[in-house]
Amino acid sequence: MAKKEYAFYPGCSSQRGASASNYLKSVDSMCKTLDIKLTEIPDWNCCSASIGYAEGGELPRHVLNARNFALAEQNLPGQEIVATCAACWLGARETKERLDASSQLMADTNEALKEAGLEYKGESDIRHMVEVLIEDFGYDELKKPVVKSLEGIKFAGYVGCQTNRPFGIVGESFENPMYLDKLVEMVGGEALTGYDQKVTCCGGALAFSEPDKAQAQIKDIVESAYDHGAEMIVTPCPLCQANVEIYQGAINKKYGKKFNIPVMYYSQLMTVAYGGSAKDAGLDGQVIRATRLEEIAAKR
Amino acid sequence: MSNLSSQAAAQYNNNFLKEVEAMVEEGNWVKMCMQCGVCSGSCPTNFQAGWDHPPQEIFMMIRAGKREEVLNSQSMWMCTSCYNCIVRCPRKLPITHIMHGLANYAHRLGLAPKNQPTRHFAKLFWNNCIQTGRVNELKLSLGLYFKDGFKQGIINGLAMKDVALGLLKAKRLNPFELFKAHGCKDQKGIHAMLKKAHEIEERRKAIKTA
Ligand code: SF4
Ligand code: SF4
Ligand code: SF4
Ligand code: SF4
């Protein structure tokens, strides 16, 4: 039996062929090493993220999340729900808190769920993968399987917004969370703890609808990483990752920059440090290739 | 003013604060704002000259009864859901949700700015998400590019071509999503449950049309 088991909520962006499929790949590898068993919630649905409010309103949004909870309770009783996407985690946790706090919302939610033949009892907890790693395992435990050091690589830890606020990781501050830096050091990398844009918003979903404004934010985030001497940026959030990585070309054109910095997931660093191949770590999924990590992964 | 909108205003005797408290998600918090300005100083879109009015100002305007000005504003649509305001507000107002709630209410009444890009995107996103239960990133981006017609869509698409090609090469964009997409099995159940949820919400936040 696996050391730990969780009901897994991958989210749309982590599906195969979607924008964060490399994240999912590396999480799978990382979990294999740590003996974590993730079982996908059968037939899970998207939560509508932080942008669903305009058309979705209040109750329909909560109902979407509650459907996943109900499915988890029914099919994977007793297991906590784990999300890898910051937006999924945030949306789900918000719903859980609102339903816990209001018996009317809970009743309304269940009235709607009945139409899909489901019932939510309010049992399952919703956690982010990073919470699981830090709280259920801890840095010492996570360090044990490390067989390769990422020595000499300088990482800017870009925490972003939604993994950090409003819930965050227990024991961390909103203004200067350190866990990403600690994870970097744990795998032997150099954490640039003075990176001042670590919790700046990248524009989130507005990268699509207000690209100029979002790209101005992203420019500051990347520029500061360069100023601090970073070779790579590392993040816990699929939307942060995509936003900060894929618009660098557009920003270069607009602002006359020469940005070309890889943007990685914590799980990719851990997979490589745990001895995984470039493929295991989803390194082939980078738009901007992380050559130095690929080299380390290739070393026997 | 649209018909629905004037009926809603009349229902609360043109007291906009009361209307917001009853109709807007988390709207009952607005009166707790002490106008300290921390949220406005924390709001990233404020830095990029996005807002007409940052949250603090919106809350003041609600209390001052500036109904049209608030509901017509671009401001709420600029919210990136970064939650900076929420964690810093000394009065613990759920500012992000109030902004979203106001946007949703303005949208519902038909008072939100026309062609507001985030409004358009939010609508696309929701519809895309509930159609199959899962977001189809390809259809979502295409829908966004083509919002201003076919020609503009091609131009927008070309402007984004490098991004798309990069993702395609990294196998993070699947062109076949256009034909055979990810989706939930119980789409019927999802549609039925959402229909019910909308009905209940309508009932709870009814605008009397007498
Ligand atoms: S937050 Fe994003 S990734 Fe997560 S389920 Fe919703 S749309 Fe999908
Ligand atoms: S940094 Fe950007 S993508 Fe990441 S959580 Fe914030 S808004 Fe979302
Ligand atoms: S931070 Fe809170 S109390 Fe201060 S102005 Fe903003 S909403 Fe009002
Ligand atoms: S959550 Fe919205 S309102 Fe609050 S600081 Fe961020 S962008 Fe501004």
Side-chain angles (χ1 to χ4, degrees):
Chain A
M1 216 186 81
K3 218 182 252 167
K4 301 259 183 205
E5 293 187 45
Y6 304 92
F8 185 40
Y9 175 30
C12 313
S13 62
S14 292
Q15 300 174 90
R16 211 153 52 82
S19 60
S21 40
N22 53 337
Y23 186 18
L24 187 65
K25 179 80 203 149
S26 60
V27 164
D28 275 347
S29 308
M30 175 187 82
C31 287
K32 210 175 277 165
T33 305
L34 292 169
D35 201 18
I36 299 174
K37 188 175 167 207
L38 299 177
T39 314
E40 215 173 290
I41 299 171
D43 209 38
W44 60 269
N45 58 266
C46 170
C47 67
S48 87
S50 12
I51 193 81
Y53 60 84
E55 188 74 9
E58 190 174 357
L59 186 61
R61 234 173 54 230
H62 294 316
V63 169
L64 272 179
N65 278 310
R67 179 176 177 273
N68 291 329
F69 306 163
L71 285 170
E73 283 177 356
Q74 198 181 72
N75 296 290
L76 303 160
Q79 296 189 15
E80 292 172 326
I81 297 174
V82 170
T84 38
C85 162
C88 306
W89 173 60
L90 171 71
R93 211 171 134 170
E94 236 159 46
T95 291
K96 185 176 160 54
E97 290 197 355
R98 295 275 188 95
L99 296 189
D100 282 351
S102 158
S103 49
Q104 184 182 69
L105 258 188
M106 186 66 129
D108 288 352
T109 299
N110 270 319
E111 190 185 335
L113 278 180
K114 214 159 90 200
E115 298 290 314
L118 292 167
E119 192 199 348
Y120 170 51
K121 300 198 198 73
E123 288 161 1
S124 30
D125 259 322
I126 294 100
R127 318 206 32 221
H128 191 280
M129 181 52 88
V130 171
E131 280 187 299
V132 165
L133 293 180
I134 293 170
E135 290 166 17
D136 298 2
F137 285 80
Y139 300 102
D140 291 341
E141 199 62 33
L142 297 173
K143 196 176 173 165
K144 281 185 192 156
V146 171
V147 292
K148 281 180 188 167
S149 167
L150 308 188
E151 207 182 318
I153 308 184
K154 291 181 180 161
F155 291 96
Y158 176 52
V159 180
C161 313
Q162 298 194 347
T163 330
N164 184 39
R165 295 181 297 260
F167 300 119
I169 307 297
V170 174
E172 294 281 5
S173 80
F174 296 128
E175 309 295 344
N176 191 14
M178 302 298 291
Y179 64 86
L180 212 44
D181 294 335
K182 287 186 199 155
L183 286 175
V184 164
E185 283 165 2
M186 186 190 84
V187 294
E190 185 178 334
L192 299 165
T193 50
Y195 175 53
D196 56 328
Q197 299 286 328
K198 63 160 68 165
V199 296
T200 302
C201 176
C202 69
L206 268 70
F208 297 96
S209 53
E210 296 278 354
D212 291 340
K213 292 186 187 103
Q215 286 174 19
Q217 299 274 119
I218 298 169
K219 176 180 75 70
D220 292 346
I221 291 163
V222 176
E223 190 144 63
S224 164
Y226 272 114
D227 288 348
H228 285 85
E231 271 168 80
M232 294 181 199
I233 294 174
V234 55
T235 158
C237 163
L239 189 57
C240 302
Q241 195 284 334
N243 277 354
V244 174
E245 183 187 39
I246 67 183
Y247 298 115
Q248 288 184 32
I251 292 169
N252 288 344
K253 265 186 216 148
K254 197 178 301 162
Y255 293 95
K257 299 284 175 191
K258 289 200 180 85
F259 293 164
N260 192 36
I261 191 166
V263 186
M264 317 306 296
Y265 294 108
Y266 62 92
S267 47
Q268 294 181 299
L269 309 192
M270 288 170 67
T271 300
V272 172
Y274 289 168
S277 69
K279 210 161 176 202
D280 295 335
L283 297 183
D284 52 345
Q286 301 307 113
V287 171
I288 299 171
R289 300 296 282 243
T291 327
R292 286 203 56 199
L293 273 184
E294 289 181 25
E295 283 164 15
I296 296 176
K299 255 193 268 168
R300 280 287 111 210
Chain B
M1 216 194 302
S2 79
N3 217 6
L4 194 63
S5 168
S6 51
Q7 275 152 355
Q11 194 170 324
Y12 297 93
N13 297 322
N14 294 310
N15 181 331
F16 188 39
L17 178 62
K18 286 252 153 21
E19 184 182 344
V20 166
E21 287 178 344
M23 304 298 260
V24 171
E25 186 171 343
E26 303 283 339
N28 55 332
W29 278 93
V30 170
K31 61 175 181 296
M32 295 301 290
C33 170
M34 61 181 193
Q35 291 293 308
C36 69
V38 166
C39 55
S40 301
S42 309
C43 188
T45 43
N46 201 18
F47 311 150
Q48 311 294 352
W51 299 93
D52 315 331
H53 312 287
Q56 166 209 5
E57 233 170 87
I58 290 279
F59 299 157
M60 183 185 64
M61 288 159 70
I62 292 172
R63 288 198 282 195
K66 295 189 189 286
R67 187 172 187 275
E68 300 280 293
E69 265 179 87
V70 169
L71 295 175
N72 288 332
S73 170
Q74 303 273 349
S75 304
M76 302 82 81
W77 299 98
M78 297 293 173
C79 173
T80 63
S81 313
C82 75
Y83 292 80
N84 240 331
C85 50
I86 282 205
V87 299
R88 289 183 183 165
C89 173
R91 281 274 175 95
K92 301 267 175 288
L93 269 77
I95 304 167
T96 316
H97 304 290
I98 307 172
M99 298 310 270
H100 293 178
L102 284 167
N104 170 262
Y105 189 51
H107 178 66
R108 180 179 170 206
L109 294 181
L111 292 181
K114 298 242 153 29
N115 298 323
Q116 211 303 323
T118 304
R119 180 188 184 190
H120 176 82
F121 180 66
K123 202 171 156 182
L124 267 183
F125 192 96
W126 175 261
N127 291 338
N128 181 306
C129 158
I130 62 164
Q131 197 181 15
T132 65
R134 297 200 190 159
V135 163
N136 180 318
E137 291 173 337
L138 182 60
K139 282 192 190 163
L140 183 65
S141 352
L142 289 178
L144 188 66
Y145 299 158
F146 288 90
K147 81 173 166 44
D148 302 320
F150 185 70
K151 204 168 140 212
Q152 190 57 41
I154 300 287
I155 297 172
N156 294 344
L158 280 176
M160 291 299 287
K161 123 178 149 299
D162 294 343
V163 170
L165 282 178
L167 285 173
L168 210 57
K169 233 174 85 192
K171 297 206 174 46
R172 282 158 60 187
L173 188 70
N174 180 358
F176 298 106
E177 281 286 301
L178 213 45
F179 312 107
K180 196 181 161 300
H182 295 288
C184 292
K185 277 186 231 114
D186 188 24
Q187 296 182 12
K188 232 168 99 193
I190 293 177
H191 293 156
M193 110 197 154
L194 287 174
K195 189 163 158 257
K196 190 63 168 191
H198 277 293
E199 272 168 35
I200 301 172
E201 185 136 292
E202 287 285 312
R203 203 195 318 143
R204 296 255 180 255
K205 294 183 180 166
I207 296 168
K208 291 188 202 92
T209 46

